[in-house]
């Protein structure tokens, strides 16, 4: 399950937990999105993701420095799990899935966001946090504590 996870939200958590029930092993690949300016460093995002999934025995976190398909090959992963909040997300995921399959043959499974967390995005969480708002309802407890200390 790839993402920038800046920060890791309850929406991400929802998809990871559901993927952990579907697959024997799940790797959360924390990567760089060149279209985004991250609030947290790669190392900090990896740490927050590790803390968030620590109680899921079949999930671990890896640092993804390049292409997703290369990360999949390095980790012997044949399926990518993604989450989608809306129809436009599904459309964007379709294009990514086709490109990744074309590059490497990797398959993509897109899970629709659960209704309770489908509106949460890292972008909105960062905006609320930067404005001094409470992000506790939208992120795992460890992330909320980190954000309060660091912002």
């Amino acid at each position: 399950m790839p993402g920038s996870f800046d920060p890791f939200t309850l929406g991400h958590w929802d998809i990871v937990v559901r993927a952990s029930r579907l697959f024997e092993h799940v790797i959360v690949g924390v990567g760089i999105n060149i279209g985004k300016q991250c609030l947290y460093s790669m190392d900090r995002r990896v740490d927050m993701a590790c803390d968030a999934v620590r109680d899921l025995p079949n999930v671990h976190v890896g640092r993804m420095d390049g292409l997703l398909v290369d990360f999949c090959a390095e980790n012997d992963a044949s399926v990518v799990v993604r989450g989608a909040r809306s129809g436009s997300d599904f459309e964007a995921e379709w294009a990514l899935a086709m490109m990744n399959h074309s590059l490497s043959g990797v398959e993509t499974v897109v899970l629709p966001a659960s209704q309770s967390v489908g509106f949460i995005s890292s972008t909105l969480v960062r905006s609320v946090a930067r404005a001094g708002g409470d992000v506790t309802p939208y992120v795992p407890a460890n992330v909320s504590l980190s954000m309060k200390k660091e912002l």
Side-chain angles (χ1 to χ4, degrees):
M1 180 180 157
S4 53
F5 306 108
D6 186 42
F8 194 93
T9 70
L10 291 179
H12 297 130
W13 170 253
D14 170 62
I15 299 298
V16 170
V17 168
R18 290 165 55 207
S20 74
R21 294 177 187 146
L22 294 171
F23 298 98
E24 189 175 345
H25 301 287
V26 176
I27 305 164
V28 175
V30 179
I32 298 167
N33 181 334
I34 59 171
K36 295 180 183 178
Q37 183 176 351
C38 286
L39 178 61
Y40 294 102
S41 70
M42 169 74 86
D43 290 339
R44 188 68 194 106
R45 291 182 287 126
V46 168
D47 289 345
M48 282 192 280
C50 285
D51 285 346
V53 304
R54 72 175 170 259
D55 293 331
L56 298 171
N58 65 328
V59 177
H60 76 272
V61 177
R63 182 184 172 117
M64 187 171 55
D65 292 309
L67 288 174
L68 171 59
V69 294
D70 294 337
F71 182 78
C72 288
E74 292 163 7
N75 289 279
D76 198 28
S78 58
V79 177
V80 171
V81 175
R82 301 282 296 176
R85 295 174 297 233
S86 65
S88 60
D89 280 356
F90 277 103
E91 220 171 277
E93 293 302 335
W94 180 84
L96 290 170
M98 294 301 102
M99 179 58 79
N100 289 331
H101 190 269
S102 174
L103 288 169
S104 70
V106 70
E107 296 291 349
T108 300
V109 172
V110 180
L111 298 176
S114 295
Q115 190 173 8
S116 61
V117 295
F119 67 96
I120 300 171
S121 74
S122 292
T123 301
L124 290 174
V125 168
R126 285 192 308 271
S127 294
V128 169
R130 284 180 173 142
D134 181 16
V135 297
T136 304
Y138 315 112
V139 297
N142 70 297
V143 174
S144 178
L145 289 173
S146 289
M147 292 183 82
K148 285 178 184 175
K149 290 178 187 174
E150 297 174 23
L151 292 178

